[in-house]
Amino acid sequence: MSWLISLLVLSALIFFHELGHFAVARRLGVYVEVFSIGFGKKLASFRAFNTEWRIAAIPLGGYVRMKGQDDSDPTKTSPDPDSYNSKTPLQRIAILLAGPAANFGLAFVLYFLIALGGPQVLSPVIGSVVEDSPAAAAGLKEGDRILAIDGKTVTTWDEMSDVVKRAERTIALQIERDGMVENIAVTPKMTETQNMFRETVYRPMVGIGSAGETHALDLGLLGAVGYAVDETWEASKLIFISLEKLITGAVPTSELGGVVTIVKITADASESGWMAVFFFAALISVNLGVLNLLPIPALDGGHIMFNLYEMVMRRAPSEAILFKLTIAGWGILLGLMSLGLYNDINRLMQ
């Protein structure tokens, strides 16, 4: 059942992406011939809004096929006024941006719903103190609850950690211990550690670990909006940084995951409740939005690049160049998908 839920979630994310393209294309007077969830053989279809809506056999994506626009052959154009290529470059860019924008918008909505449900966060309670660390020297103990740093209230472990990581001097902690409030000064020490990408980094640390205590965030309507904006932005930054690390080789290609990994993570999340499903769905939705903006021919970003070229140069790229770049783009995509699938299979066999 969890795997079925994960496939439905992935299909829903693809649907919203393509719905963004569909809505703006129709708004600009472009005839949409096909709206497909999945690739390959058609499994089911119906007609509505003068468009064929179909479900295809391979659930690795989807597409909206507009009149005069064909990703497999960019030379297939139409001069009709209701065709995609009869629109101005700016209008085409609007259609192309609508898909990723729909993914970012969906992620915002999901994070907003998570916020309204009261997401669980780690409380700033110390669970362990490293021997001979700044925390041990300052007298911090297991069970201490950090209330404020340098007079600024902290309510989560992440808030406390962020302050410590930026510290350049001694910081003043206000803690609660055995029902009493105490003030303790501690000087963070530059310490070798690993970041989330398993890179060796040096950053200020005091030598404490979390007790694992959690509490629900009590957010009002405006707080939920702020939470959704922050989480969508942070998820976008994380994906951009991950891509940069992957391209530069800081993160090995073996870490790349494919659709199997996505489905498995979502399936595992479904066993932890709706909030976990919403969280991973939001992250994957942002992922789809970011990846589709990459300037790779056959992706939205590649088409945007071609239209920007036409706007600047006052002429479209030649059909020969478009065809060759599109084939190259598909080669890159298929290569990445194959690598992701290869890694997925390796993980399943371990």
Side-chain angles (χ1 to χ4, degrees):
M1 185 64 181
S2 60
W3 285 85
L4 177 60
I5 292 173
S6 64
L7 285 173
L8 290 175
V9 167
L10 182 58
S11 296
L13 299 179
I14 295 167
F15 172 80
F16 275 98
H17 177 91
E18 301 303 334
L19 187 63
H21 292 313
F22 174 84
V24 176
R26 288 295 298 267
R27 180 68 179 83
L28 293 174
V30 176
Y31 172 49
V32 179
E33 298 172 342
V34 177
F35 187 118
S36 178
I37 301 299
F39 298 108
K41 184 179 179 181
K42 179 171 63 175
L43 300 180
S45 68
F46 64 92
R47 289 197 67 83
F49 307 106
N50 201 28
T51 296
E52 179 189 352
W53 302 71
R54 65 171 64 160
I55 297 176
I58 306 174
L60 298 180
Y63 61 91
V64 167
R65 190 172 72 209
M66 295 170 277
K67 186 175 183 179
Q69 189 256 353
D70 189 338
D71 281 337
S72 62
D73 186 354
T75 64
K76 293 181 180 179
T77 60
S78 169
D80 295 341
D82 62 347
S83 72
Y84 166 81
N85 45 55
S86 71
K87 303 304 174 182
T88 67
L90 193 59
Q91 289 174 318
R92 285 182 236 140
I93 289 174
I95 294 172
L96 295 165
L97 285 175
N103 283 127
F104 292 123
L106 177 60
F108 170 86
V109 171
L110 291 172
Y111 283 128
F112 178 76
L113 293 175
I114 291 171
L116 292 180
Q120 293 290 318
V121 294
L122 280 176
S123 301
V125 179
I126 299 174
S128 61
V129 178
V130 178
E131 290 185 11
D132 300 323
S133 66
L140 289 172
K141 298 180 179 179
E142 178 183 344
D144 288 348
R145 179 183 295 272
I146 300 173
L147 303 176
I149 302 178
D150 290 336
K152 183 179 179 181
T153 301
V154 294
T155 59
T156 71
W157 184 268
D158 284 345
E159 286 179 351
M160 180 273 299
S161 180
D162 286 342
V163 173
V164 173
K165 285 189 293 187
R166 295 193 300 268
E168 298 179 352
R169 54 177 177 76
T170 299
I171 54 178
L173 303 183
Q174 185 181 71
I175 67 166
E176 180 183 350
R177 177 186 297 169
D178 299 327
M180 303 293 290
V181 176
E182 300 183 23
N183 294 305
I184 294 180
V186 60
T187 304
K189 178 183 177 182
M190 293 299 293
T191 306
E192 179 181 311
T193 185
Q194 286 190 325
N195 62 15
M196 64 186 303
F197 301 105
R198 300 178 187 173
E199 296 174 302
T200 299
V201 296
Y202 290 86
R203 69 184 187 196
M205 299 181 72
V206 296
I208 57 176
S210 169
E213 180 181 316
T214 63
H215 68 276
L217 289 178
D218 186 14
L219 300 169
L221 190 62
L222 289 178
V225 170
Y227 175 89
V229 171
D230 290 343
E231 290 297 313
T232 303
W233 174 247
E234 290 301 322
S236 301
K237 286 200 304 183
L238 174 62
I239 294 166
F240 273 116
I241 293 171
S242 300
L243 284 171
E244 183 266 331
K245 299 288 185 184
L246 191 64
I247 292 170
T248 60
V251 173
T253 55
S254 59
E255 294 295 315
L256 184 68
V259 67
V260 176
T261 296
I262 293 174
V263 171
K264 185 180 184 304
I265 290 175
T266 311
D268 292 342
S270 69
E271 297 176 359
S272 301
W274 69 267
M275 195 173 288
V277 173
F278 277 17
F279 179 83
F280 282 108
L283 186 60
I284 296 169
S285 190
V286 171
N287 199 323
L288 286 173
V290 170
L291 293 181
N292 272 280
L293 288 175
L294 294 178
I296 298 175
L299 289 179
D300 295 331
H303 290 295
I304 291 171
M305 180 176 63
F306 293 148
N307 283 284
L308 287 173
Y309 174 88
E310 185 175 343
M311 287 178 65
V312 173
M313 303 303 293
R314 303 293 182 179
R315 57 184 172 85
S318 70
E319 290 187 353
I321 290 176
L322 282 176
F323 184 78
K324 290 177 181 178
L325 288 177
T326 300
I327 295 299
W330 277 111
I332 293 171
L333 290 180
L334 290 174
L336 289 173
M337 290 170 66
S338 299
L339 177 59
L341 183 59
Y342 173 80
N343 290 338
D344 289 344
I345 294 172
N346 273 347
R347 293 188 189 100
L348 290 175
M349 293 179 66
Q350 290 176 356

